[in-house]
Amino acid sequence: MGVAEVLFLTFLVLMLLGAPITVALGVSAMFSFMVVGQDLSTLIQIAFTSVNSFPIMALPAFVLAGALMECAGVSKRLVLIAENLVGPVRGGLAISTALACVFFGAISGSGPATTAAVGMLMIPAMIKRDYEPGYAAAATATAGGVGIIIPPSIPMVIYGVAAQESITKMFLGGVIPGLLIAVGLICMHLFKCRKMEVHEDMAAWSASTLLTSMKEGIWAMMAPIVILGGIYSGFFTPTEAAIVAIFYTLFVGFFIYKELSIKALMKSLETTSWLTGRVLIIMFTAYAFGRLLVQYRIPDQIVEMLLNFTSDVMVVWIFVVLILLFLGMFMETLAIILLVTPVLLPVMKAFGVDPIHFGIVLVCCCGVGFSTPPLGENMFIASGIADVSLEEISAKAIPFCCITIGVIFLLVMFPQLILFLPKMLM
């Protein structure tokens, strides 16, 4: 039995036994190392290499910035701006939810964080105004997936490190896809809520009210401008931007809004430590797994197999997207990225696909996974807030997931939608 067979068979058996993805990746890599007689101390070297990277420092920094902004009063001001921007139209609160997720996603870089921050404010408000609880939860869970597509994005940082691609270009590549998905969700809300009555306590749209909310939330609105403006202008790197975001949030939370407490600061640090530690462990095991894939030319074998099957890149894209959507139902986003990048990226490069194009499509597919059972993290968060079953949310989320998948195939067919902005840096 060859190394590839041992590697994948061990991984599959462990996954079927219910082992965590980290254990499955690590044990299968270690067992394969033993089979070929390779020194296990190499695993320690891989562990050091996987985390000894300047760009990876952006991960804990963006996580901390997002957690602090939720406690500092930034999220509720962004939601208020989104509400006043939309006004009293049919489905207005659902549309406001999608817009608020775009705003908060431009700060947090995390789907679950976006869902939690926006959902705590918008789901109760929607239920109060006669939206079905399941619909309110589904609207928030699906819109929360935009949080990892609108830059800055934690999964894009992970992909950039794993694929050795520019994180700044990844961020730029996510702008148009994120906005397209948001527009698609808004159109679906307008369609599904077209017969809904406008709630009588909804005030008429007012420019003065909008300007007032924008004035009160100017510091919240400045956060993504400072972060993304600094990155795209070349004033600082994504890693430096994440550090700037932390100090900006601390300043706004303590001295401007005065809503950030020492207790909330400690809670944010705890959340950051837990999430970062989990990601770094996955990175270590995934790098060991990927090292064996590259060493024994497994991606090359996959390329040869696909070339024997078809030379049509669109057929390959359909196959890849379906695999990613399937994996998204059962695995967490960061594990998917670290697992499939060393396997599929060489395959897509062989078919002439730009690595940035592939990376953005990969992240978009992971965004769908946040809203699909059985592992959809956003659904669990929204379910807890709305106090409805996962089954009800799943049913209501189907049209919104279909919209997102439709946009993904649009991005596959028209790569310039992704590559237009990144190519401006070249």
Side-chain angles (χ1 to χ4, degrees):
M1 185 180 292
V3 176
E5 289 81 1
V6 172
L7 186 67
F8 284 110
L9 183 60
T10 307
F11 177 76
L12 181 61
V13 169
L14 289 169
M15 288 296 290
L16 290 175
L17 291 174
I21 182 68
T22 305
V23 174
L25 287 169
V27 171
S28 57
M30 184 177 68
F31 189 57
S32 299
F33 269 71
M34 293 170 64
V35 167
V36 297
Q38 199 163 345
D39 190 351
L40 290 181
S41 63
T42 308
L43 283 173
I44 307 302
Q45 296 173 358
I46 293 172
F48 178 77
T49 303
S50 65
V51 298
N52 185 31
S53 168
F54 180 70
I56 203 65
M57 290 174 62
L59 170 64
F62 275 127
V63 173
L64 179 57
L68 288 172
M69 286 177 181
E70 187 177 347
C71 303
V74 171
S75 57
K76 68 180 182 182
R77 286 171 173 82
L78 292 175
V79 168
L80 183 61
I81 293 170
E83 282 185 334
N84 290 324
L85 191 64
V86 174
V89 301
R90 289 181 173 86
L93 276 182
I95 296 171
S96 299
T97 299
L99 289 178
C101 286
V102 170
F103 293 158
F104 194 76
I107 299 173
S108 71
S110 166
T114 300
T115 303
V118 176
M120 289 295 290
L121 299 167
M122 296 304 290
I123 291 177
M126 280 193 277
I127 294 174
K128 183 180 178 182
R129 292 193 174 124
D130 303 328
Y131 287 79
E132 294 180 20
Y135 185 91
T140 308
T142 50
V146 180
I148 67 167
I149 303 167
I150 294 289
S153 163
I154 293 170
M156 287 183 191
V157 172
I158 299 299
Y159 175 82
V161 173
Q164 296 184 334
E165 292 294 330
S166 167
I167 296 173
T168 301
K169 288 185 178 181
M170 285 294 296
F171 284 178
L172 281 170
V175 173
I176 294 176
L179 294 177
L180 284 175
I181 292 173
V183 169
L185 295 176
I186 288 170
C187 292
M188 180 57 71
H189 287 308
L190 287 171
F191 174 75
K192 293 186 74 66
C193 299
R194 65 192 184 281
K195 297 180 181 179
M196 191 176 195
E197 294 295 328
V198 177
H199 208 272
E200 59 185 15
D201 67 350
M202 289 287 287
W205 188 89
S206 166
S208 62
T209 304
L210 175 60
L211 289 174
T212 299
S213 65
M214 292 178 72
K215 182 180 178 181
E216 293 176 353
I218 184 65
W219 290 96
M221 294 173 62
M222 283 296 294
I225 295 173
V226 169
I227 297 167
L228 299 177
I231 295 172
Y232 300 151
S233 66
F235 193 73
F236 37 68
T237 67
T239 303
E240 293 164 345
I243 305 300
V244 170
I246 292 173
F247 283 98
Y248 180 88
T249 307
L250 289 172
F251 174 76
V252 171
F254 279 124
F255 301 109
I256 305 297
Y257 295 151
K258 299 179 181 179
E259 295 182 19
L260 188 61
S261 64
I262 297 298
K263 183 179 179 181
L265 174 59
M266 300 308 295
K267 180 66 177 176
S268 299
L269 289 170
E270 180 185 336
T271 301
T272 302
S273 300
W274 176 80
L275 180 58
T276 304
R278 185 181 67 170
V279 172
L280 291 180
I281 292 173
I282 294 174
M283 286 191 70
F284 158 48
T285 55
Y287 264 80
F289 193 91
R291 167 76 172 269
L292 285 165
L293 293 178
V294 173
Q295 187 173 341
Y296 290 93
R297 302 182 66 252
I298 295 172
D300 295 342
Q301 296 172 30
I302 296 174
V303 170
E304 292 174 10
M305 180 185 71
L306 286 174
L307 285 172
N308 290 331
F309 175 71
T310 180
S311 59
D312 189 341
V313 68
M314 286 306 300
V315 174
V316 176
W317 260 123
I318 292 171
F319 173 73
V320 167
V321 169
L322 292 177
I323 286 178
L324 294 175
L325 291 173
F326 177 76
L327 290 176
M329 296 171 64
F330 301 98
M331 294 171 61
E332 61 179 2
T333 297
L334 302 181
I336 294 173
I337 292 172
L338 291 168
L339 178 63
V340 305
T341 298
V343 179
L344 294 181
L345 181 57
V347 174
M348 301 312 289
K349 281 183 175 179
F351 281 89
V353 175
D354 190 287
I356 301 296
H357 184 201
F358 172 72
I360 296 299
V361 172
L362 168 58
V363 172
C364 290
C365 290
C366 291
V368 177
F370 281 122
S371 308
T372 52
L375 193 65
E377 294 175 72
N378 289 4
M379 297 179 69
F380 283 101
I381 294 169
S383 172
I385 297 172
D387 193 24
V388 293
S389 68
L390 288 173
E391 290 79 10
E392 184 176 351
I393 298 177
S394 300
K396 299 290 185 183
I398 290 173
F400 303 109
C401 289
C402 289
I403 286 290
T404 306
I405 293 170
V407 172
I408 289 171
F409 279 107
L410 190 67
L411 298 174
V412 166
M413 291 185 289
F414 302 100
Q416 286 306 312
L417 291 172
I418 293 172
L419 299 176
F420 173 70
L421 292 177
K423 283 185 176 179
M424 294 176 67
L425 285 180
M426 297 175 65

